[in-house]
Amino acid sequence: MSDFEKRIALARTRLAEADAVVVGAGAGLSAAAGLDYSGPEFRREFADYIRKYGFPDLYTSSFHEFPTEEERWARWARHIDYIRFRPQAMPLYKELYELVKDKNYFVITTNVDAQFRKAGFNPEKIFEVQGDYGMMQCAVGCHPKLYSDKETVERILEHSHDMTVPAEYVPVCPVCGGNMDVHVRKNGFFVQDEAWNEAAVRYEDFITRYAEHRRVVLLELGIGYNTPAIIRYPFERITYRNPEATLVRLNAEYPAGPAETAARTIAFTENMNEVIEKLL
């Protein structure tokens, strides 16, 4: 039996024995699933923006300071449609759902593409910490309410031309009359509405109930060092404190963790699609 096969067998055993499974997912999961932020599909879809601004990837383009709201929302509408609304549930997410659907699970993710919900995960068992491309908010958070941006995106795409859109299609805050923004955590104005807070409480309750003393598998998928304090470091801390915990880490670039948790960590640098398929 190869080392890879041994790690697969051990991870499958730990998953079978677990009282609970906590799925922690970052950008690496959606990249492995095929959502293309920098490859050929991105270069085709955003060729005009690449020619004009030299954007190397979709993530970088989201931080560009456009001179007008008309230009900013023209880019955001294409971005949101490309990542959030147009794709169906990706096969990797559906396989991940098959892996945990009959288990006592909870999902925490920094991804904002709604792939977990599309794949069939129970919305009551998902905590989307960083927001959702499908929602928008007041740009300065003047009130704690979110709004669907689907119709706004559709109208902007219909009327966009030369990477801008007429002013009448740019969303305006219904309370303060100021700018609107995509519901993604990028500054101190990020709105944590009632639903966000309820999801946070459900997640913390789940962690308190299962992660401190019970047999728990922390299934970490594609978490790097962009926001490690949200998932990566807490998962390592739980593994350190709970001798019944197992950290199953799928990460091609950053598989290593603290020496103190190495004995209870099963790390995979192999293709994420292959690993999940083998774990089924």
Side-chain angles (χ1 to χ4, degrees):
M1 182 181 293
S2 68
D3 175 68
F4 175 61
E5 291 170 331
K6 289 178 182 178
R7 283 180 283 128
I8 288 291
L10 181 58
R12 292 183 69 180
T13 297
R14 293 289 184 267
L15 285 164
E17 296 173 343
D19 298 314
V21 178
V22 186
V23 178
L29 173 61
S30 285
L35 293 180
D36 183 3
Y37 273 71
S38 60
E41 188 174 354
F42 159 74
R43 292 192 292 272
R44 181 173 61 252
E45 293 278 343
F46 293 85
D48 49 353
Y49 282 97
I50 294 170
R51 282 194 301 270
K52 184 171 182 178
Y53 299 104
F55 292 146
D57 55 65
L58 194 60
Y59 179 77
T60 302
S61 74
S62 65
F63 293 96
H64 184 78
E65 294 289 339
F66 288 94
T68 68
E69 285 294 287
E70 291 85 351
E71 292 168 274
R72 187 172 75 89
W73 270 101
R75 194 217 66 87
W76 264 122
R78 198 187 304 183
H79 180 146
I80 294 166
D81 181 64
Y82 171 69
I83 291 294
R84 174 63 171 83
F85 292 130
R86 203 187 313 169
Q88 300 301 308
M90 307 300 280
L92 178 57
Y93 275 90
K94 291 192 285 188
E95 289 189 351
L96 183 59
Y97 176 65
E98 291 299 317
L99 179 64
V100 304
K101 69 177 183 180
D102 296 324
K103 303 182 187 301
N104 181 25
Y105 74 84
F106 207 102
V107 173
I108 178 171
T109 181
T110 54
N111 295 340
V112 293
D113 49 35
Q115 277 292 314
F116 280 103
R117 279 177 279 147
K118 290 181 180 182
F121 286 79
N122 183 346
E124 295 295 302
K125 296 183 177 184
I126 304 172
F127 181 24
E128 295 169 314
V129 184
Q130 303 291 68
D132 177 0
Y133 277 151
M135 307 298 289
M136 59 183 174
Q137 62 166 80
C138 173
V140 295
C142 79
H143 65 293
K145 185 176 179 180
L146 304 179
Y147 304 85
S148 171
D149 60 19
K150 191 173 191 305
E151 291 185 1
T152 296
V153 165
E154 290 173 350
R155 286 195 297 268
I156 291 174
L157 290 175
E158 181 181 355
H159 296 281
S160 291
H161 180 68
D162 288 339
M163 293 171 283
T164 190
V165 67
E168 60 262 34
Y169 300 106
V170 173
V172 174
C173 177
V175 175
C176 71
N179 296 333
M180 293 290 279
D181 213 341
V182 185
H183 186 237
V184 176
R185 190 188 301 276
K186 57 183 178 178
N187 55 38
F189 298 123
F190 179 77
V191 167
Q192 297 176 182
D193 68 342
E194 183 178 356
W196 189 99
N197 286 307
E198 289 174 351
V201 169
R202 288 193 297 270
Y203 174 68
E204 290 301 327
D205 287 348
F206 192 88
I207 291 296
T208 300
R209 188 177 308 119
Y210 295 105
E212 294 183 358
H213 308 291
R214 307 284 289 276
R215 290 177 299 184
V216 61
V217 169
L218 304 155
L219 182 56
E220 185 192 291
L221 305 158
I223 303 290
Y225 285 99
N226 189 15
T227 54
I230 296 174
I231 299 172
R232 187 181 181 98
Y233 293 162
F235 275 22
E236 291 175 345
R237 186 161 55 248
I238 291 167
T239 306
Y240 175 72
R241 292 176 176 174
N242 180 4
E244 297 295 322
T246 301
L247 173 60
V248 178
R249 171 172 283 162
L250 279 62
N251 198 309
E253 296 183 17
Y254 308 107
E260 293 85 350
T261 60
R264 294 196 298 277
T265 299
I266 308 169
F268 294 92
T269 58
E270 292 84 359
N271 181 278
M272 199 177 295
N273 291 270
E274 181 182 359
V275 173
I276 295 300
E277 183 179 350
K278 294 287 186 181
L279 290 176
L280 284 170

